[in-house]
Amino acid sequence: MERPLDDTPFTFEEPCPIRDVLDRIGDQWSFLVLTGLEGGTMRFSELMRAIGDVSKQMLSRTLRRLEEDGLVSRTVYPEVPPRVEYALTELGRSLLEPLRALIRWADDNHRTIVLSRRRVRDAA
Amino acid sequence: MERPLDDTPFTFEEPCPIRDVLDRIGDQWSFLVLTGLEGGTMRFSELMRAIGDVSKQMLSRTLRRLEEDGLVSRTVYPEVPPRVEYALTELGRSLLEPLRALIRWADDNHRTIVLSRRRVRDAA
DNA sequence: CAGCATCCATTGAGATACTG
DNA sequence: CAGTATCTCAATGGATGCTG
């Protein structure tokens, strides 16, 4: 919910910074795009191959949103055939830091989570 | 997508730990619940008030999943009226660490993101 | 109080086809 | 090559009412 229960006329753009950020990187692809660009500039099709199972539809949408948020830059080279390169901005790179901490945690604890899930399932 | 494009018979439960974790905390409420429990044990209705705009439906679902994953513990006191207390497990508390780094980043950079978004919108 | 069942609205995401 | 447009389906999430 963007709005509280009552209809107080909020003047802030976004009620909660963290929700806003998590909504973005929490979607299916933003995170993968961000980490995919970690190594440097990439073209649309390169990103597509790197991620593997993303449709151009979703990759396109995701990149556009990341660009809007200023996390990713987009450079079009007016050639034929067209070439478009994506890269992390300074802001995007800075987000990678806390993201890496999360990745590390996920790697370290995923097994435990899967086992916990299974235990619950088996009990049911 | 849980599966790659080809139909290689994967035997792993979950192909990608990070996606799996982000799917969880990336949903609308898990993150709020986790941080809500940061201060210690809380009852269902307390959590509800603390978060503010979550329905009991969603709070219930969220807690159940977090419990399944072993991030939150649930203790039922057989009283009338019933009392149920939720708390972070050791695992849950450990997740809070990298999460806090993300929160910090969000706080620090949210303004920049909002401004970037607006700039793009205004240009259009 | 806690929380499940049901129903409904919104959004996410895939497939496909078309364009500069 | 790098997208956009359209359509469709599945998953998320909200509202409400009922129960132990």
Side-chain angles (χ1 to χ4, degrees), chain A residues 5-99:
Chain A
L5 290 172
D6 62 12
D7 52 1
T8 316
F10 254 108
T11 47
F12 309 111
E13 319 301 304
E14 311 285 353
C16 177
I18 300 104
R19 289 206 210 183
D20 201 33
V21 168
L22 276 184
D23 274 4
R24 218 32 71 96
I25 68 151
D27 71 9
Q28 202 68 30
W29 306 114
S30 292
F31 156 80
L32 291 175
V33 169
L34 255 17
T35 55
L37 289 174
E38 190 171 359
T41 296
M42 288 186 89
R43 302 182 58 171
F44 188 86
S45 49
E46 281 182 300
L47 262 174
M48 192 133 162
R49 272 194 305 278
I51 296 176
D53 59 346
V54 65
S55 66
K56 359 178 229 176
Q57 170 75 285
M58 288 316 298
L59 182 55
S60 183
R61 283 189 205 175
T62 303
L63 283 166
R64 204 153 309 278
R65 281 203 287 202
L66 292 174
E67 195 195 350
E68 276 177 14
D69 287 3
L71 298 168
V72 160
S73 69
R74 178 174 181 270
T75 315
V76 182
Y77 296 87
E79 308 170 354
V80 181
R83 183 161 57 102
V84 181
E85 291 190 339
Y86 294 93
L88 292 177
T89 60
E90 198 55 46
L91 189 63
R93 260 191 302 279
S94 75
L95 173 54
L96 236 44
E97 297 276 341
L99 229 43

Side-chain angles (χ1 to χ4, degrees), chain B residues 43-45 56-57 64 74 82 86:
Chain B
R43 302 182 58 172
F44 187 87
S45 48
K56 15 181 214 171
Q57 171 74 289
R64 204 153 309 278
R74 179 174 180 270
Y86 294 91

Side-chain angles (χ1 to χ4, degrees), chain B residues 3-124:
Chain B
R3 296 270 162 189
L5 290 173
D6 62 14
D7 53 1
T8 316
F10 254 108
T11 48
F12 309 109
E13 319 300 304
E14 310 286 353
C16 178
I18 300 103
R19 287 205 210 184
D20 199 33
V21 168
L22 276 184
D23 274 3
R24 217 33 70 98
I25 68 149
D27 71 9
Q28 201 68 30
W29 306 114
S30 292
F31 157 79
L32 272 323
V33 169
L34 255 17
T35 54
L37 288 174
E38 190 170 0
T41 297
M42 288 186 89
R43 302 182 58 172
F44 187 87
S45 48
E46 281 182 300
L47 263 174
M48 192 132 162
R49 271 194 306 278
I51 296 177
D53 59 344
V54 64
S55 66
K56 15 181 214 171
Q57 171 74 289
M58 288 316 298
L59 181 55
S60 184
R61 284 190 205 173
T62 303
L63 283 167
R64 204 153 309 278
R65 281 204 286 202
L66 292 174
E67 195 195 352
E68 276 177 14
D69 288 2
L71 298 168
V72 160
S73 69
R74 179 174 180 270
T75 315
V76 182
Y77 296 88
E79 305 172 356
V80 181
R83 183 161 57 101
V84 182
E85 291 190 340
Y86 294 91
L88 292 177
T89 61
E90 196 56 46
L91 189 63
R93 259 191 302 278
S94 76
L95 173 54
L96 237 43
E97 297 277 341
L99 228 43
R100 264 190 283 262
L102 204 57
I103 291 170
R104 215 188 139 70
W105 187 92
D107 266 329
D108 291 348
N109 297 284
H110 186 247
R111 183 160 203 79
T112 307
I113 291 178
V114 171
L115 289 176
S116 171
R117 245 176 240 171
R118 178 150 43 204
R119 219 163 2 85
V120 173
R121 299 293 180 195
D122 288 351

